[in-house]
Amino acid sequence: MASRNDDLKQKYRPTDKLDDQIDQELGDVSLDSLYGFDKPKEPGHEHVKGMRHGKVISIDAKNDEVFVDFGGKSQGIAVLSEFEAEPKVGDELEFSVERYDPAEGLLILTKKGAAAHNVTWENLEVGQIVEGIVTNVNKGGLEVTIKGMRAFMPSGQVDIFFQPDLTTLLNQKIKAEVTQFDPHAKNLIISRRNILEREKEEQKGKLMAEIAEGQVRRGTIRSVMDYGAFVDLGGMDGLLHVSEMTFRRGVKPGEIVKVGDVVDVKIVKFDRETGKLSLSLKQAGPNPWEHAAERYAVGAEITGR
């Protein structure tokens, strides 16, 4: 297919000499760029959605607005109250672009991880973050009310880990991701697990850079097995083997810890390539054998179980 350069030259070709002169004058400059044909179009609704990295250039606390620059002539506006911590001018952050406002010439933004405002059946999208109140719990999951819309969250999408008692979330405000919807049937399916998994991946990246053998860290017991338990350290799970739970012998993991317990554990082994962690509960505390000789002298009579 002929280029725009060729088309224009063909249309306006009085003489070969003039054509040669045009080529000589233009050099490497194309007629497309000269007449602005290659300039990017103004962003429209069909092009702007997605995640973008921008810099905070202005904050208007009175009007609850944050202005963001994306380079060039592309700028956007976000709601200040969406930020967990108030941003500062110069901060570089991730934003979700909702749409382009041609009247203002600005991209309408949502802070990464924040729930969309004024969500309706008309502007719902798969992947959108929404916020609602858990209004009912049934065998299949949770019923959530979002801006007057009734949504359903399957039990497997409530958390990363199995939650035996979903009633703890009743009447709680939660954030979730839209996974499926039908405006005509008023059917809306959401997932809280998707958000938690992304947050955990972000935490894992930070933890991988900080963690080291010998550290004592606080974690939460996520599951208990016959051979030990798995502990969530805030982004990474580690194995707490039964042999590292206590100095006592012949005990079962369930006698020492239960799901939900907060424990301090020592990192005894860490494979940075695989991310596998071996943890110890007994090494995180005092060793009862360390001063045993002082407490139990040879020949002394003691009573024990």
Side-chain angles (χ1 to χ4, degrees):
M1 183 181 291
S3 68
R4 194 184 302 272
N5 252 19
D6 295 335
D7 291 341
L8 290 171
K9 289 177 182 177
Q10 186 65 34
K11 186 174 181 179
Y12 302 103
R13 182 186 289 276
T15 65
D16 290 339
K17 184 177 180 180
L18 179 59
D19 189 44
D20 292 338
Q21 186 178 352
I22 291 174
D23 280 340
Q24 185 176 355
E25 294 294 334
L26 285 176
D28 294 332
V29 180
S30 69
L31 288 174
D32 278 358
S33 61
L34 186 63
Y35 289 108
F37 296 132
D38 63 340
K39 290 183 180 178
K41 296 180 176 63
E42 283 294 320
H45 294 277
E46 69 278 14
H47 299 299
V48 299
K49 290 183 179 295
M51 299 302 300
R52 294 185 66 177
H53 190 82
K55 179 185 289 187
V56 176
I57 56 173
S58 176
I59 298 173
D60 185 349
K62 183 179 179 180
N63 293 309
D64 197 30
E65 295 173 337
V66 176
F67 293 90
V68 183
D69 180 57
F70 295 105
K73 296 182 179 180
S74 182
Q75 295 184 348
I77 186 170
V79 179
L80 177 60
S81 55
E82 287 183 350
F83 294 76
E84 294 180 3
E86 186 170 328
K88 300 184 294 294
V89 172
D91 285 351
E92 295 190 4
L93 305 166
E94 290 287 329
F95 295 89
S96 174
V97 181
E98 298 297 323
R99 60 186 175 85
Y100 175 69
D101 185 345
E104 298 293 335
L106 292 170
L107 298 169
I108 306 303
L109 311 170
T110 298
K111 173 70 175 64
K112 181 181 179 182
H117 290 269
N118 303 318
V119 63
T120 65
W121 286 111
E122 286 70 32
N123 61 19
L124 271 177
E125 290 187 354
V126 172
Q128 194 172 40
I129 305 299
V130 293
E131 193 172 64
I133 302 292
V134 178
T135 54
N136 192 29
V137 178
N138 56 46
K139 292 182 179 179
L142 304 176
E143 292 180 13
V144 184
T145 299
I146 302 167
K147 300 291 184 181
M149 299 180 293
R150 185 179 176 185
F152 177 68
M153 183 184 297
S155 56
Q157 296 300 314
V158 174
D159 207 331
I160 299 174
F161 306 96
F162 173 69
Q163 295 293 334
D165 185 11
L166 296 181
T167 60
T168 58
L169 292 171
L170 193 60
N171 299 320
Q172 299 292 315
K173 181 184 287 187
I174 61 173
K175 286 197 299 184
E177 178 182 300
V178 176
T179 57
Q180 183 182 340
F181 70 95
D182 184 344
H184 302 291
K186 296 294 188 285
N187 181 33
L188 174 56
I189 308 298
I190 57 177
S191 169
R192 178 169 170 260
R193 176 173 181 160
N194 288 356
I195 295 177
L196 295 177
E197 285 180 338
R198 285 196 295 272
E199 290 176 350
K200 186 173 182 178
E201 278 302 310
E202 291 178 2
Q203 293 169 350
K204 180 179 179 179
K206 296 177 182 178
L207 194 59
M208 285 283 286
E210 302 171 355
I211 208 163
E213 293 180 4
Q215 292 178 345
V216 174
R217 287 186 171 264
R218 183 158 294 177
T220 304
I221 302 294
R222 289 304 185 187
S223 61
V224 180
M225 311 292 184
D226 291 338
Y227 53 84
F230 284 96
V231 184
D232 179 11
L233 298 181
M236 295 178 66
D237 294 341
L239 174 62
L240 174 58
H241 194 267
V242 62
S243 63
E244 289 296 330
M245 287 186 172
T246 178
F247 287 94
R248 292 160 50 196
R249 295 176 178 270
V251 296
K252 296 180 179 179
E255 298 173 0
I256 307 299
V257 296
K258 64 181 184 298
V259 173
D261 282 353
V262 176
V263 294
D264 290 328
V265 291
K266 183 177 181 179
I267 300 170
V268 294
K269 189 175 181 181
F270 174 44
D271 187 329
R272 195 169 294 276
E273 291 186 4
T274 63
K276 290 183 178 179
L277 286 166
S278 296
L279 310 173
S280 175
L281 183 61
K282 69 181 186 182
Q283 292 186 42
N287 186 337
W289 294 102
E290 190 173 348
H291 302 290
E294 300 172 9
R295 295 197 303 265
Y296 308 108
V298 175
E301 292 186 3
I302 59 173
T303 301
R305 184 174 63 179

